[in-house]
Amino acid sequence: MLDIVNISAGYGSLNAIQNINISIPDGSKLGVFGHNGAGKTTLMRCIIGAHVPSQGEVRWHGEALPKGDVPATVKKGIAYDEVMASDSQFVGDIIRQVGLKVIPVMQSPDGEIIQDTT
């Protein structure tokens, strides 16, 4: 289980992500979609250790991953890849190609994550 626990991060005075909490069971695939500047890359960089969050931690099977240590994270089998949609490709096509399950998630203006569990 990969747990993202209360992660917040940014660049200088800019908060890119705030209070993100996600649990990802073993064997799952996760897709992160959003507008430019929404914090997708910052979240993924925090997960793999390429960006040190201002708060929170990432846990792998209950053990906190070292912040800022990409090689240690990759050795545990945790990495990410960016898939960019071309003008002729819809996001839905990419989702089907890589076999992702879609769980609609929104973030309220105060940073609260709202997840549709239906």
Side-chain angles (χ1 to χ4, degrees), residues 21 103-117:
N21 292 283
I103 301 171
V105 175
M106 297 184 331
Q107 187 171 9
S108 69
D110 64 356
E112 178 185 356
I113 296 296
I114 305 163
Q115 181 173 326
D116 180 0
T117 57

Side-chain angles (χ1 to χ4, degrees), residues 10-15:
Y11 305 92
S13 62
L14 173 67
N15 292 321

Side-chain angles (χ1 to χ4, degrees), residues 47-106:
I47 291 170
I48 66 166
H51 187 85
V52 177
S54 56
Q55 74 174 27
E57 64 184 3
V58 178
R59 297 181 190 148
W60 178 245
H61 294 280
E63 176 187 340
L65 293 175
K67 296 175 183 175
D69 191 348
V70 175
T73 303
V74 171
K75 284 180 185 175
K76 293 186 181 292
I78 302 165
Y80 85 99
D81 189 16
E82 293 184 26
V83 178
M84 305 296 284
S86 68
D87 289 341
S88 63
Q89 205 172 22
F90 293 100
V91 172
D93 293 335
I94 294 171
I95 291 169
R96 284 186 289 281
Q97 286 172 10
V98 298
L100 294 174
K101 177 182 177 186
V102 177
I103 301 171
V105 175
M106 297 184 331

